[in-house]
Amino acid sequence: MTDLLLKNATLPDGRTGLDIAVTSGKITAIEPGIPGDAGTAIDCSGYLVSPPFIDAHFHMDATLSLGMPRMNQSGTLLEGIALWGELKPQLTVEAMVERALRYCDLAVSRGLLAIRSHVDVSDPTLRTAEAMLEVQRLVKPYIDLQLVAFPQDGYLRSPGAVDLLNRSLDMGLNIVGGIPHFERTMAEGTQSVELLCRIAADRGLPVDMHCDESDDPMSRHIETLAQQTVRFGLQGRVAGSHLTSMHSMDNYYVSKLIALMAEADIQVISNPLINITLQGRHDTYPKRRGLTRVPELMAAGLNVSFGHDCVMDPWYSMGSGDMLEVAGMGLHVAQMTSRKAIRQAFDAVTINPARALGLPDYGIAVGNPADMVLLQARNTIEALRLRPTRLAVIKAGKVIAQSAPQISTLSLNGRPDAVNSADYAPQTKNKTGKETR
Ligand code: FE2
């Protein structure tokens, strides 16, 4: 007996008119016209069924703390770090758990079912780690929450950080973080990368560092991170988050650097909402965008993901838990406007972070867990354009969030379901059959 049957779905790869059958939490068939009764049947009306969204970079311990104890006046990364430092002594495990769970409810409603969160382990109480491990346990049936041991105040710069990072890994955080551009000197930044990669190699853990989150073109810790990745045999298991200094680097140097990163199979994680608001703050005009070189990195074969980074915290007062907002900003800032590039932006919040986070059995395929999102959009490009309603969010074959479709009751064009111009099919091929922009 089929537990759940999705009728007439379109998949991100463009296949359409498909039914998806689910039994005991797994996808058992994907084909047109699957007959038979199901416990629950959903008519997808040709709309897009995507695997869940994934956020490759977030700060769950700080989320929804906006205004505590005050607002960030300058809007800079450094005032955000100082402000978070003021807030840390006031944090309680209970309040952090409560805020994080509120965020997770929002995330589920947006179809966001896997999140990698950096956890600040600079405070000797390690309350942040305790709280986030509790959140990880509580949301496990719905959200795959990965936790990075993140030395926010510097691994070598902050007294006690070496011991605290090790203790937090002993507690159960299982990804090694870092922040080399925040160490006192370039030399200490380099040293921190080496020491942290060694810990990861010794413990058999992945690495995900805040790396070169700076407009300084001489912030080149990603070079060391790539080198140490190869040295310790960590290829494919090391992520460089932000990498904003690459925006400002000399082009000739970057041409060498990207090849080094590809050799190390560095997982690139860019955070467009945060980078476009925090970077370039010391510029007058023109102001740099500050986003890392996303299209060029993708073209070189690197796996690039987009992260949300912050939602209503000391660094960012906006944010919605919607990875389509994140990808939408990414495609604008990186000028990824060709049809192919827009689809790549969708991949950067779905299949790319699944690889970066090492999520097994991800994607809509027979035998995989039935984790899916039904969107009120006809394809991935329309999803990015409209940030559409999540009509249903499905986890292990169970509908865990639902929203009513967006419709106009006026029906000015006589098509009550056409409020999102869903039937608009742009001409994407020119006379030569080549895809147009
Ligand atoms: Fe971050």
Side-chain angles (χ1 to χ4, degrees):
M1 164 87 180
T2 300
D3 299 325
L4 172 68
L5 186 60
L6 303 187
K7 300 288 288 181
N8 191 16
T10 297
L11 299 184
D13 63 11
R15 284 179 292 157
T16 194
L18 295 173
D19 297 350
I20 303 171
V22 175
T23 303
S24 301
K26 298 215 165 184
I27 296 171
T28 51
I30 305 172
E31 56 198 44
I34 297 175
D37 295 329
T40 305
I42 298 175
D43 179 6
C44 300
S45 303
Y47 283 133
L48 177 65
V49 176
S50 168
F53 297 109
I54 302 174
D55 182 358
H57 185 113
F58 194 61
H59 293 263
M60 189 78 84
D61 49 2
T63 196
L64 306 188
S65 66
L66 182 67
M68 299 166 60
R70 62 182 175 81
M71 301 296 283
N72 184 334
Q73 296 300 325
S74 68
T76 61
L77 170 67
L78 295 181
E79 185 176 344
I81 293 174
L83 185 49
W84 174 239
E86 291 171 33
L87 176 57
K88 269 192 270 190
Q90 302 172 24
L91 294 172
T92 66
V93 170
E94 294 73 23
M96 272 185 285
V97 170
E98 190 273 332
R99 287 201 309 267
L101 293 180
R102 264 195 286 143
Y103 180 75
C104 288
D105 275 338
L106 177 66
V108 165
S109 75
R110 308 287 178 138
L112 170 53
L113 301 186
I115 301 171
R116 175 178 282 183
S117 177
H118 294 251
V119 181
D120 181 0
V121 294
S122 300
D123 189 88
T125 65
L126 289 175
R127 274 189 293 251
T128 46
E130 184 185 343
M132 292 305 109
L133 285 163
E134 175 65 0
V135 173
Q136 185 184 52
R137 188 182 68 79
L138 291 169
V139 304
K140 194 171 178 191
Y142 315 103
I143 296 177
D144 188 341
L145 178 60
Q146 298 189 349
L147 300 175
V148 182
F150 173 45
Q152 170 78 76
D153 297 339
Y155 183 62
L156 298 176
R157 182 172 176 172
S158 173
V162 172
D163 176 53
L164 287 168
L165 187 124
N166 270 317
R167 277 173 48 203
S168 71
L169 294 173
D170 292 340
M171 285 171 72
L173 306 196
N174 55 10
I175 300 165
V176 179
I179 187 165
H181 57 276
F182 193 68
E183 304 292 351
R184 283 195 181 86
T185 63
M186 288 291 176
E188 288 196 350
T190 301
Q191 193 186 351
S192 77
V193 172
E194 292 175 8
L195 291 168
L196 291 161
C197 285
R198 182 180 291 280
I199 290 172
D202 289 348
R203 287 180 178 254
L205 299 176
V207 173
D208 190 336
M209 286 192 196
H210 285 66
C211 193
D212 302 326
E213 188 180 3
S214 163
D215 292 320
D216 176 4
M218 298 311 292
S219 187
R220 295 176 167 188
H221 297 295
I222 180 59
E223 179 186 82
T224 308
L225 187 60
Q227 176 214 27
Q228 294 297 311
T229 298
V230 173
R231 174 187 175 193
F232 287 109
L234 296 168
Q235 289 94 330
R237 292 162 50 204
V238 173
S241 280
H242 290 291
L243 304 176
T244 53
S245 73
M246 287 185 71
H247 186 95
S248 299
M249 283 175 182
D250 170 73
N251 288 334
Y252 184 83
Y253 173 70
V254 168
S255 70
K256 178 194 171 198
L257 175 64
I258 289 181
L260 289 178
M261 293 168 68
E263 180 192 7
D265 194 11
I266 294 289
Q267 304 299 312
V268 174
I269 299 171
S270 172
N271 301 296
L273 294 171
I274 306 309
N275 298 155
I276 198 63
T277 46
L278 291 186
Q279 302 314 129
R281 286 273 173 169
H282 295 269
D283 294 350
T284 53
Y285 287 93
K287 286 181 188 288
R288 283 168 288 182
R289 297 170 190 224
L291 200 73
T292 195
R293 304 189 185 203
V294 173
E296 292 79 7
L297 288 160
M298 285 179 166
L302 283 133
N303 186 45
V304 182
S305 306
F306 288 140
H308 205 318
D309 203 359
C310 304
V311 171
M312 297 183 71
D313 68 11
W315 295 273
Y316 188 59
S317 63
M318 307 293 282
S320 64
D322 185 353
M323 293 310 295
L324 287 174
E325 181 187 4
V326 173
M329 180 61 75
L331 82 86
H332 280 83
V333 176
Q335 300 181 330
M336 296 167 64
T337 52
S338 72
R339 311 306 281 178
K340 178 185 174 190
I342 299 171
R343 292 187 196 104
Q344 286 177 317
F346 191 88
D347 291 346
V349 292
T350 51
I351 58 176
N352 296 2
R355 186 178 147 208
L357 271 57
L359 303 181
D361 306 326
Y362 176 84
I364 298 176
V366 172
N368 278 356
D371 302 340
M372 299 175 276
V373 184
L374 172 60
L375 298 122
Q376 194 185 359
R378 302 282 172 190
N379 53 54
T380 56
I381 293 176
E382 195 170 83
L384 276 162
R385 183 171 68 84
L386 298 171
R387 285 184 226 152
T389 302
R390 316 302 127 102
L391 297 168
V393 179
I394 296 160
K395 176 70 181 178
K398 299 242 172 353
V399 177
I400 58 171
Q402 273 181 299
S403 299
Q406 187 184 9
I407 57 167
S408 164
T409 53
L410 290 177
S411 300
L412 291 173
N413 68 357
R415 299 280 307 274
D417 67 339
V419 70
N420 60 13
S421 305
D423 292 334
Y424 171 67
Q427 182 74 35
T428 58
K429 297 253 191 339
N430 63 22
K431 281 181 187 159
T432 63
K434 232 177 136 192
E435 190 171 76
T436 63
R437 296 176 80 83

